[in-house]
């Protein structure tokens, strides 16, 4: 067990610290992390998920129970946070949408994928693949609609249906959605790529884990988080309540051990940096969002390790 935890988590800590030191020593600038993130999100991770989907047994891809558990866990924690934010913290709908995104959007690209690669292997990317589709199709469009609903400058021309359709179209054109989905379709069709083509795709995909963690460490250089009731609540929901929701849903749907490992680990993955980008872009909940993501990622090494211990 100690060997599994060490193999799963030590690479994350090592590479993130390396990225942080790179910024501290002036080898790279904090702004360089945005370029690295673009490479990961636009190319490396989509191709990594593509190869993972292509090499996955089609029967596992068609597992509707697995999909349902991810939808329940991800969107359930989103709606739960929305209620807490509105009726406990008394936030407006725009702030509540950002807080919900912070508490429900796992950092599958930066944090979750490397852990699943070590713990489960290529099949571990199935959860990242489907989870990414769930966030792209349901969570992000809903957040954008709620932000627009809370924006007084756009309430007059608000058309929720039109906005949802527009954002679904944007999500479908995003490489991190359509490239992995293409891999799913090819797998279901029984198509195998020739080695001449699959080899360079695998080479690009292999840089996803290391580069994303390095960029994550670099992004955290210079950050000074604030620890308060907001950040405690956000970290508690994201790092503890969401994986519990995943586990309960997984038991209810009778997932096998490997799939249960995937959903729980994805649930325990800290908040995605993308949630902080939404806060910055909408100029809402910025300090609490960034603090929750930074502290949640630091504590995520511990909570992720605890969840790995439980499911292993």
């Amino acid at each position: 067990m100690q060997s599994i935890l060490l193999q799963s988590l030590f690479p994350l800590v090592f590479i993130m610290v390396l990225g942080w030191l790179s910024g501290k020593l002036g080898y790279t600038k904090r702004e360089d992390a945005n370029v690295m993130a673009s490479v990961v999100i636009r190319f490396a991770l989509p191709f990594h998920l593509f190869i993972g989907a292509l090499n996955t047994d089609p029967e596992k891809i068609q597992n509707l129970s697995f999909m349902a558990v991810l939808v329940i866990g991800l969107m359930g924690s989103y709606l739960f946070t929305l209620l807490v934010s509105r009726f406990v913290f008394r936030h407006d709908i725009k702030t509540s949408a950002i807080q919900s995104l912070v508490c429900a959007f796992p950092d599958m690209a930066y944090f979750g994928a490397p852990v699943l690669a070590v713990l489960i292997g290529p099949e571990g990317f199935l959860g990242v693949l489907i989870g990414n589709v769930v966030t792209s199709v349901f969570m992000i469009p809903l957040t954008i609609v709620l932000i627009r609903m809370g924006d007084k400058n756009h309430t007059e021309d608000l058309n929720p249906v039109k906005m949802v359709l527009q954002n679904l179209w944007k999500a479908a054109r995003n490489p991190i959605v359509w490239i992995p989905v293409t891999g799913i379709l090819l797998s279901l069709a029984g198509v195998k790529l020739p080695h001449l083509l699959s080899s360079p795709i695998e080479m690009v995909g292999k840089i996803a884990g290391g580069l994303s963690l390095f960029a994550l460490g670099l992004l955290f250089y210079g950050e000074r988080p604030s620890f308060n009731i907001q950040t405690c609540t956000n970290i508690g929901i994201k790092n503890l309540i969401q994986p519990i929701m995943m586990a309960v849903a997984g038991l209810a749907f009778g997932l096998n051990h490997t799939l249960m490992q995937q959903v729980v680990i994805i649930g325990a993955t800290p908040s995605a940096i993308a949630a902080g980008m939404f806060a910055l872009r909408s100029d809402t909940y910025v300090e609490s969002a960034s603090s929750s993501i930074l502290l949640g990622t630091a504590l995520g090494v511990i909570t992720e390790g605890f969840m790995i211990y439980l499911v292993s």
Side-chain angles (χ1 to χ4, degrees):
M1 178 55 63
Q2 291 180 349
S3 176
I4 293 175
L5 290 174
L6 191 63
Q7 290 177 16
S8 302
L9 299 177
F10 179 75
L12 275 70
V13 177
F14 180 85
I15 299 174
M16 286 172 62
V17 170
L18 196 64
W20 185 88
L21 284 174
S22 178
K24 175 72 173 179
L25 298 174
Y27 296 151
T28 53
K29 297 179 180 178
R30 193 170 184 273
E31 294 76 20
D32 295 338
N34 294 326
V35 178
M36 299 178 196
S38 296
V39 173
V40 170
I41 298 299
R42 298 292 183 184
F43 298 100
L45 184 61
F47 282 131
H48 201 38
L49 295 175
F50 173 85
I51 290 296
L54 196 64
N55 296 332
T56 300
D57 187 344
E59 292 184 1
K60 294 181 179 179
I61 294 178
Q62 299 177 65
N63 191 326
L64 297 180
S65 297
F66 184 54
M67 296 181 187
V69 170
L70 284 169
V71 172
I72 292 170
L74 292 170
M75 296 309 300
S77 54
Y78 185 96
L79 297 175
F80 173 75
T81 309
L82 195 66
L83 293 174
V84 171
S85 184
R86 287 286 286 164
F87 299 109
V88 177
F89 291 114
R90 303 292 181 180
H91 290 315
D92 57 65
I93 191 65
K94 186 176 181 180
T95 304
S96 297
I98 297 296
Q99 186 174 10
S100 299
L101 193 66
V102 170
C103 294
F105 192 176
D107 196 353
M108 292 176 283
Y110 288 108
F111 203 101
V115 173
L116 289 168
V118 173
L119 189 64
I120 299 175
E123 291 185 8
F125 294 104
L126 180 62
V128 178
L129 174 64
I130 297 175
N132 176 70
V133 172
V134 172
T135 55
S136 298
V137 173
F138 297 107
M139 191 179 294
I140 293 176
L142 176 59
T143 301
I144 292 173
V145 170
L146 293 176
I147 290 173
R148 291 289 300 274
M149 287 176 63
D151 192 343
K152 297 179 180 178
N153 296 325
H154 296 93
T155 51
E156 295 180 359
D157 59 342
L158 179 65
N159 187 331
V161 175
K162 183 179 179 181
M163 276 195 294
V164 169
L165 293 176
Q166 287 176 343
N167 284 288
L168 285 176
W169 173 240
K170 288 180 180 178
R173 292 185 298 165
N174 194 319
I176 203 171
V177 174
W178 72 263
I179 291 178
V181 168
T182 302
I184 291 176
L185 296 176
L186 291 176
S187 177
L188 294 174
V191 176
K192 298 294 183 182
L193 294 182
H195 180 73
L196 185 65
L197 181 58
S198 64
S199 179
I201 292 177
E202 287 183 11
M203 288 178 66
V204 175
K206 285 179 179 178
I207 69 172
L211 188 60
S212 62
L213 290 168
F214 187 93
L216 187 60
L218 183 57
L219 277 172
F220 288 155
Y221 170 68
E223 288 286 333
R224 290 179 173 82
S226 58
F227 196 74
N228 52 43
I229 187 63
Q230 293 280 338
T231 55
C232 288
T233 301
N234 295 342
I235 294 170
I237 293 174
K238 180 67 208 69
N239 291 18
L240 297 175
I241 292 179
Q242 190 176 63
I244 290 173
M245 285 186 175
M246 294 281 198
V248 171
L251 290 172
F253 280 85
L255 295 186
N256 63 40
H257 183 249
T258 301
L259 295 181
M260 181 67 83
Q261 283 182 314
Q262 290 190 51
V263 296
V264 172
I265 289 171
I266 287 174
T269 299
S271 303
I273 292 179
M277 299 299 104
F278 271 85
L280 285 171
R281 188 180 302 172
S282 60
D283 193 25
T284 305
Y285 205 65
V286 177
E287 183 179 350
S288 294
S290 60
S291 296
S292 298
I293 293 169
L294 176 56
L295 293 173
T297 301
L299 293 173
V301 175
I302 299 173
T303 54
E304 191 82 85
F306 178 67
M307 293 300 170
I308 291 172
Y309 174 79
L310 290 180
V311 298
S312 296

